[in-house]
Structure formats: C-alpha cells, structure tokens
Amino acid sequence: MLINQPLGPKKVVGTPIPRPDRNASVQTYIPEIAKGLAMTMAHFFRNTKEMALGQRNDPTIESISDGINCVSYPEQRRPYAERFRGVHRLTHRADGSPRCVACLCCSTACPAQCIHIEPAEYPVGDSRRGYERFPARFVIDELRCVFCGFCVEACPCDAIRMDTGIHAAPYDSREQFIFEKDLLMSFKGRDGSQLSENPRHEPGDPTHPGVTREHGGH
Amino acid sequence: MPTFKLDDREIPFEPGDTIIQAAHRAGIDIPHYCWHPGLSVAANCRMCLVEIGPPPGRPAMMLDILKQDPKTGEYIPAKKPKLQPACQQRVAEGMEVKSESSEHVSEARGAVQELLLLNHPVDCPICDQAGECRLQDYWLQHQGKGKRMHDEPVHKPKAQVFGPTIVYDGERCIVCTRCVRFCEEVAKDPVLDVRERGNLNEIVVSPGRQLDHGYTLMTEYVCPVGALTATDFRFKARVWFLRSARSVCQGCATGCNAFLDYDPRNETVYRHRPRENLKVNKYWMCDEGMLDYARAHEDRFINAYVGEDEVSLEAGVKAAAKALKGVDPERVAIVLSAQHSSEDNFALLTLARDFLGSGNLFISGNAEGEGDGVLKHADKNPNTKGVEQLCSTTPPASMSELLEAVAAGKITHAVALGSAAPIDVEGLSSLKKLVLVSPFDGALAGYADVLLPAATWAESTGTFVNFAGLAQESERAVRPEQDARPAWKLIAAVGRELGYAMDWQRLSDVRLAMAPDAGAAVAGSAAAEVSAPTGAAE
C-alpha cells in the first residue's frame, strides 16, 4: 500500500461493458423462448437423422464432432490415453516371484499413505536367496489412493506400475478396496504381460555369476 | 592454543592432532570413510584428501599431469598440487589447508567417489544402510554423476553369514577396514582380515572362526556402507522413518550413552546405537547393550492385575492402596530397584520414609554377571549407584536379607519396584500382600498380589547413575503402551489414594522434590516441599 495515497474511494479503472439490449422481445420472453426451442428442435432432428442413417463418427474411435456424442458405457468405452494411471499391479520376475524388494520407497513417496509393506528375507538355501528381500505383505488401500503415480516414479525396481488400464472398480464394502499382494500380482499390463522392463542384473538371475566366491571367476 | 588455517578459518589444535581430528573437534566434517575418531589411522579410502600449502619460503609441490580438455577430448599438460590425506597429516602451527575451497580437492573427491562406486552394486533398495550410507551422501555432495564404466562389475560373495549377528555383503564393501581395525583394537579379538588385492579385496573371517566376540554389532555400526548388516535389524525398518531418543543403555552399570531408534508411527523401538561420550563409552557399545532395546516390547505388563485378574489402572491403584492401608509400617518392606531410574526410586522412597514411616529398605536387581574390562561391567543394573546415593543414610539391604526377614515373620507386606531379582525368591509367597510396580515379567511378578504396569526406560524419562557416579538422563522415546505409566506416577497415585500429599504431575515436580542431597533429607522435609503445590501445574 502506498503511503502518500489520498484517502477516500479509488477511481475505477477499466472499460465499461455495455448492458444487454433489453428491447420488447426480450422483455416479453415469448419470442426468445420460440428462438431457443427452434434451435433445440433443429439439433434434435439433425442428430436423429444422422443416427438413423449411420452418419455419425464413432466417439470411441474417432474424434468427437459437434452434436450429440453418446458413448454407451460400459459396452462402449472411450480409449484411454497411453499414460492413463489405472489400478496398480506388481510386476513379476522371470521366475514368477515379485520384482519388489520391499524397499519402501513407494510408501515413502505416497502422499496418501495408502501403501503398507512388510519386508521379509528369502531364507538361506532358497533359489531366490540372491534377491534377498521380498514383500511378505504388500497392501494398497485403493480408496485412499489418489492415483498420482508417485509410487511408480519412486520405484527403483520397476516393480509397481499403473499400466493395467483398469480403473478402480466399484465395490460394496470398504474391505474390498484393500488390495493384497496376490491380487496386485495377478493383474496384467495393457499389453497382457506381467513382466517389467527392468534390466537390473541381480544375483539369483540365471545369467548372474552367482553369490559364492567360486562363481566369481577369480 | 596454536592454530592453523582451514579454508581461511583459524582452527585451534592440540599438538599431535591430525587435520581431520582438529577439524572434527571444531565441528567441521572433512568427508571420510575409513577414519574413525576411536580407531587407528589407515588412510586407505582417500576421501579426506586436502591441499596443504607449502611451508613458508618453499615452492609448492606440484605434479605434472595430463588433463583432458572436456571440449575437444584432447589431453593437455597441466599441473596439480600433491594432495594429502587429512586423517594422517599432523597439523603444524600456521599450516594452510584447503578443503572445501580447493578445486583440486573437490575434483579428487569426485574421482575417489567414482572409484569406490565402480564395482558397487547399486542395490540400495535392498540394502539396510540406505538412508544413512556414506556412499549415498557423498555421491550427492561430491559427484552426482552417472556411471561411466559399463563393464560387468566385479562380483563377490553376497549375504555371507559372518556369525550369529552379522551378515556380510562383499560387493557393497569399500574395504575401509574399519571393522578389521575395530576388532583388533577395541574388541581385542582380531577375527576379521582382508583377503586378495585391489578390486578383489574382501573382508573374511579367520578360518575356523566366526565373528562372535562381544562387540560384533559395533562392527556393523562402524561400517560406513551397507557391507555389514545386523541379522537383528536386517529388513526390519527403514532408517528414514526412525527417530532417535538420547537414552542410556540398561544392560549394565557402565551406563553407555545410546540412541534408541524408534518409529513414531507405530511406537515401536527398533535398535540401539552408541552415542559418543568420551567420559563413559567413547564411541562404543557391547552387543548385549545394542540388543537390549528389544526388552522395550518383550515380557511387558501393560495392564494392572489384582491377583490373576486384569483390572483397570484405577482399580489397580485402589487395590494397592487397600493392601497397604493400616498396616504396621515396621512390617512393610520397601524393595527399591537398581533397574529403575532415580526418580522412580525416589518416589517409592518418599512414600516409604515420609508417609508410611517404614525404614525397611531392600534393593532388587539382576544378579552379578561378567565384566570384560572394555565396557561391560559386572553389575548388570543401570542404577545401583543411584539407589545407593538416594539411601545414603540407611543403605538398603539385599534380597536374601528380605527373604530371611519374611521367613522370620518380621515382614508381612512389601512394596516392590521392578521384578528382577538376583536370587530365587520363593520365600516371598508367604507374604500377606506384595504390591509390585514393574514394567517387566520377572522373578517377583509371580508373587505379586497387586501389579501395576510401569513404563520402561524407553517410555519414560529418567536419571541413571553409572558405576562411576555419573548421573545421566535417558530420554523417553515412545509413548507408554496401554495402561503403563511411569513408575513414579503410579507410586504417587497410590500415595494419593492413601491420602498423602504426593501430587506430582510431571517429572520436573519429582526432580524438584529430589533435593541434591535427597538421600540425607530428613523425614518430612521432602513431604513439606511436595505438599505445597506450585499452582502452575495446570
């Protein structure tokens, strides 16, 4: 606030907008109602004719044109964008075990705090011992989730993804929104695969030299 | 004190200091992996290289190097000063050292960081050290670039079991040899050594041995990276969720300073770490102490009991007061506990001496154990000295004397703090009433008629006096579980139920009542102090 401003109301600065012309036809409503109905009926008959003759674009495949665009959901669906964030899935390793190593980066990054993970260790002698960690429990509360995708960004192992193309289904109780590990691992990506693109080379992978000194090649 | 210059700051030093020591004392951290203030100097990580100005009147020692021009990729002749490791270079008066301000030093640090990460498997998602790892911190501070070497890294044994408490991962190890030096110099049991040379270096345990001396978890703690991990803490929690409380170890009378790391979200204690205190434990802690954190959640009483029945805390306090009401004070034994803080013991002592008028003081605690001459003390109670200081006029008698008195029929009622006992206490079953205030299940708990659940050291702040007479405060980490309350609060509640003026609301009230010579306080003086409420309590 400037100190040397004069007191009192300030001068309004701006361009005045002209008031709508309130002539007799506007004031009596009748002609305007007739105009509006005429426009509506014109749209109605044109759309009905196009629908009957099959001249309309398919809104799920082609672009949306003007006029009525009815998508008969859920039989007809509009295609989702490539980057659509759907329900999470947990990716698999080649041997079917979860990619996830329970590092808790996703639950740390999650702004809704909807991910709960309990880490565990593969026991000595297990063929997957080289992966060391795995999530004994991996729970996502899909009701809390805000589908921001931070968990996918944070995951250092490409273990959690949101590329299923499914959006959270409606259920009739809250418990059903709590997705456990087995359910999350059963989802497939939109390309139908359950593997990830992670090129990480880990002990335990068949191509890895191994975890004992004898395999080290020196 | 003589001074030297570090990055244009005058830093005082004591003769014989190395640069890193003097800087460390002045609160400046020169990045380092292998140097540890409590261990000998190895100077093998090269992270603490600094540029040292030449002595007056002498030319600086410059090395001829070929430097790559980043634009053309050509190598052009250049000069660079000979850098010195700050952990080994003794300070001299007037020396001019450049650490942060030298271009050459920051370049060298980036290069050292790159070398250390050449064969490092970047398995931070799996690694327990993630979040408190020097490699991560220094990479971010001094390098921050991606990897340039795309060959297959050298593979070494992973997840090797070194002993009952430690798992070793050769690939993550940067061979700083801190663990080797620690075993040799502090634990006096040189079981670890380095095998092979160069980038095939790995730490091995002596053949036919395991890493099983009394300080194995300390080797894990001195490891600056995730090479050594503790079986106990492995994959239990992530360090960035943990908060630390400054506590005092409860394992023995040494009273090592520790950090009690807990997760505030689920109020669970996860580990003990040593806290530097040169007067007590320097930088170390023993295995028993580091594993002692687990007692915070084991064998706990979290509800009041009357006989076998679980009751509410109010009912428990009422029952305790009823058990003591109208009993001849000569027949009441007061069992103080060397396991509890001075405040808790003071509360019981006040109740006994000033209100009940009983002078039958006894002391309970764990039995004597083994000392080892490094840190472990034979007395396995954290506060024996504190209890002795409180009752300096009439030293408390031992538990065996209590059993004799009970057998002779002199004692019929008892109020006890803590359930640990050095001897078999079967004789207590002939007591008419035993009121026990204890956080843990133990020897005395079986004979308790009324049991009030006290908070553990992790759930309440308190003072513990170590064997040398040093009083140290242990901070509260988590909130008390369910009905558990600090013992002094429960004792004060029992006192109020009996109609005595023990309206202590918070720990500071208890400490106010504890005069410095609380042990020598005459009966009634403390009571008078307490019965005058401060008014500001609410």
Side-chain angles (χ1 to χ4, degrees):
Chain A
M1 188 176 154
L2 296 171
I3 294 167
N4 51 6
Q5 253 186 348
L7 292 171
K10 275 185 290 192
K11 193 170 174 293
V12 179
V13 185
T15 48
I17 301 172
R19 301 199 59 157
D21 184 20
R22 301 181 58 152
N23 54 25
S25 86
V26 173
Q27 293 280 63
T28 52
Y29 295 112
I30 309 291
E32 292 298 316
I33 289 175
K35 269 189 211 168
L37 274 174
M39 192 184 284
T40 310
M41 296 315 283
H43 277 299
F44 172 74
F45 286 119
R46 193 176 73 237
N47 284 328
T48 315
K49 186 193 83 175
E50 285 180 356
M51 288 273 276
L53 299 178
Q55 295 168 331
R56 296 208 53 78
N57 290 334
D58 182 349
T60 63
I61 303 170
E62 296 151 34
S63 62
I64 294 180
S65 59
D66 49 2
I68 293 182
N69 288 285
C70 278
V71 182
S72 310
Y73 188 85
E75 293 83 10
Q76 263 192 334
R77 291 187 186 199
R78 298 216 48 227
Y80 287 131
E82 196 64 33
R83 296 177 312 180
F84 168 73
R85 292 193 292 261
V87 161
H88 312 75
R89 72 180 171 106
L90 288 178
T91 58
H92 293 215
R93 293 177 197 263
D95 63 0
S97 57
R99 262 261 167 237
C100 173
V101 293
C103 71
L104 280 93
C105 281
C106 57
S107 61
T108 306
C110 180
Q113 300 187 2
C114 65
I115 307 179
H116 171 79
I117 303 172
E118 286 169 20
E121 191 173 5
Y122 286 116
V124 180
D126 193 303
S127 63
R128 296 162 301 181
R129 169 75 176 164
Y131 306 146
E132 292 196 51
R133 277 168 84 119
F134 73 96
R137 282 189 78 202
F138 194 109
V139 187
I140 299 183
D141 184 346
E142 295 284 353
L143 267 186
R144 275 190 160 211
C145 175
V146 295
F147 292 92
C148 64
F150 283 11
C151 52
V152 183
E153 299 284 337
C155 182
C157 303
D158 194 16
I160 187 168
R161 288 185 167 205
M162 297 176 82
D163 61 356
T164 49
I166 313 167
H167 40 194
Y171 295 114
D172 50 17
S173 78
R174 294 193 172 196
E175 288 74 46
Q176 288 165 293
F177 284 96
I178 304 215
F179 285 13
E180 291 274 353
K181 184 174 83 170
D182 300 344
L183 181 63
L184 291 165
M185 283 186 71
S186 68
F187 293 136
K188 291 185 168 64
R190 282 157 98 178
D191 56 357
S193 86
Q194 292 190 304
L195 300 177
S196 74
E197 298 293 324
N198 187 358
R200 199 180 149 72
H201 185 55
E202 283 167 329
D205 288 342
T207 53
H208 194 275
V211 294
T212 60
R213 194 174 294 127
E214 284 66 45
H215 292 120
H218 54 262
Chain B
M1 243 181 157
T3 58
F4 76 106
K5 264 187 149 170
L6 175 65
D7 290 339
D8 302 327
R9 276 185 57 177
E10 290 286 335
I11 304 224
F13 68 93
E14 288 164 15
D17 268 357
T18 58
I19 297 173
I20 207 167
Q21 267 176 326
H24 183 76
R25 212 169 284 144
I28 300 169
D29 190 45
I30 295 176
H32 59 274
Y33 286 106
C34 71
W35 178 76
H36 189 288
L39 298 173
S40 63
V41 172
N44 61 11
C45 74
R46 318 309 284 176
M47 195 67 198
C48 64
L49 292 174
V50 289
E51 190 181 332
I52 300 173
R58 302 281 303 278
M61 197 208 291
M62 298 299 267
L63 305 173
D64 291 317
I65 54 161
L66 287 173
K67 203 178 166 82
Q68 192 181 23
D69 188 350
K71 288 203 184 74
T72 57
E74 296 284 312
Y75 284 94
I76 36 181
K79 282 196 179 301
K80 101 179 176 61
K82 176 99 178 86
L83 304 178
Q84 312 270 11
C87 64
Q88 207 172 27
Q89 183 65 46
R90 290 271 157 85
V91 182
E93 175 94 43
M95 192 184 251
E96 289 190 17
V97 182
K98 284 183 179 174
S99 146
E100 307 289 319
S101 57
S102 164
E103 210 174 291
H104 298 290
V105 169
S106 55
E107 196 186 353
R109 282 176 188 168
V112 167
Q113 197 53 40
E114 186 172 32
L115 173 75
L116 291 175
L117 287 169
L118 274 188
N119 288 310
H120 192 77
V122 191
D123 49 8
C124 313
I126 299 171
C127 183
D128 250 349
Q129 194 84 2
E132 54 180 3
C133 175
R134 291 275 171 89
L135 281 167
Q136 288 180 333
D137 301 347
Y138 290 164
W139 178 83
L140 210 60
Q141 285 169 25
H142 302 289
Q143 192 200 5
K145 294 196 203 76
K147 203 166 176 172
R148 290 193 297 171
M149 186 190 84
H150 294 297
D151 305 4
E152 182 74 17
V154 175
H155 287 295
K156 291 178 196 171
K158 284 183 89 72
Q160 248 191 324
V161 177
F162 262 17
T165 54
I166 298 287
V167 176
Y168 171 72
D169 190 309
E171 291 190 343
R172 295 177 197 154
C173 177
I174 58 165
V175 205
C176 66
T177 67
R178 265 188 184 190
C179 53
V180 177
R181 282 174 287 143
F182 174 82
C183 287
E184 209 165 310
E185 294 161 18
V186 182
K188 305 275 191 280
D189 182 13
V191 278
L192 296 182
D193 211 338
V194 186
R195 173 183 182 269
E196 294 285 357
R197 287 286 174 272
N199 62 7
L200 303 184
N201 263 157
E202 54 183 83
I203 306 290
V204 284
V205 189
S206 302
R209 276 291 312 271
Q210 274 195 320
L211 182 60
D212 55 3
H213 53 67
Y215 295 83
T216 54
L217 285 167
M218 214 38 240
T219 59
E220 183 268 331
Y221 183 68
V222 295
C223 182
V225 295
L228 295 173
T229 47
T231 319
D232 175 71
F233 183 68
R234 218 169 136 81
F235 308 161
K236 292 276 189 306
R238 279 309 206 174
V239 296
W240 56 82
F241 291 127
L242 302 181
R243 301 285 171 271
S244 303
R246 292 191 291 269
S247 78
V248 171
C249 175
Q250 303 287 301
C252 73
T254 307
C256 292
N257 290 221
F259 285 115
L260 192 62
D261 288 1
Y262 64 101
D263 191 333
R265 299 171 308 163
N266 57 3
E267 300 275 339
T268 311
V269 175
Y270 280 104
R271 63 174 181 181
H272 241 164
R273 288 183 298 134
R275 183 157 56 99
E276 189 178 319
N277 186 339
L278 294 175
K279 286 201 198 89
V280 183
N281 55 327
K282 296 204 179 82
Y283 314 93
W284 323 117
M285 244 172 113
C286 70
D287 276 7
E288 283 148 42
M290 279 173 97
L291 293 173
D292 204 39
Y293 76 90
R295 286 201 313 147
H297 302 296
E298 279 172 8
D299 299 335
R300 285 292 312 280
F301 288 124
I302 47 178
N303 298 96
Y305 290 88
V306 174
E308 296 293 308
D309 309 326
E310 209 174 283
V311 294
S312 72
L313 197 56
E314 292 76 21
V317 169
K318 280 195 172 70
K322 201 174 134 198
L324 297 175
K325 213 171 188 94
V327 182
D328 175 16
E330 288 305 308
R331 300 199 167 265
V332 180
I334 302 295
V335 186
L336 302 170
S337 171
Q339 288 280 313
H340 275 256
S341 65
S342 298
E343 287 86 352
D344 295 352
N345 281 301
F346 173 76
L348 186 56
L349 200 63
T350 310
L351 178 72
R353 246 192 338 220
D354 302 346
F355 298 124
L356 296 177
S358 164
N360 308 317
L361 298 180
F362 300 91
I363 181 166
S364 71
N366 284 334
E368 287 263 309
E370 295 277 311
D372 70 347
V374 184
L375 281 181
K376 291 181 200 172
H377 197 270
D379 178 8
K380 296 295 173 198
N381 299 300
N383 205 22
T384 317
K385 199 90 180 176
V387 178
E388 281 171 15
Q389 284 178 2
L390 282 173
C391 332
S392 51
T393 44
T394 47
S398 69
M399 287 299 277
S400 48
E401 287 171 63
L402 172 67
L403 291 181
E404 282 166 25
V406 170
K410 286 183 202 159
I411 300 287
T412 53
H413 293 66
V415 189
L417 188 61
S419 54
I423 48 170
D424 186 29
V425 288
E426 186 124 19
L428 292 181
S429 51
S430 57
L431 280 174
K432 280 192 186 140
K433 290 279 180 200
L434 171 61
V435 176
L436 181 66
V437 181
S438 170
F440 302 116
D441 199 351
L444 294 175
Y447 308 103
D449 299 285
V450 180
L451 195 146
L452 299 178
T456 61
W457 90 103
E459 297 166 349
S460 60
T461 307
T463 311
F464 295 90
V465 184
N466 77 347
F467 75 95
L470 189 70
Q472 307 182 93
E473 187 183 67
S474 168
E475 277 181 5
R476 176 181 75 90
V478 293
R479 280 195 292 267
E481 274 186 70
Q482 288 201 23
D483 275 353
R485 295 289 174 272
W488 60 263
K489 240 179 197 169
L490 295 171
I491 292 161
V494 173
R496 280 200 298 275
E497 192 66 35
L498 286 166
Y500 305 129
M502 293 180 77
D503 46 2
W504 299 326
Q505 295 303 323
R506 51 175 69 92
L507 194 71
S508 49
D509 301 343
V510 185
R511 288 188 177 163
L512 271 177
M514 283 172 84
D517 53 345
V522 287
S525 67
E529 211 170 305
V530 172
S531 59
T534 49
E538 270 69 54

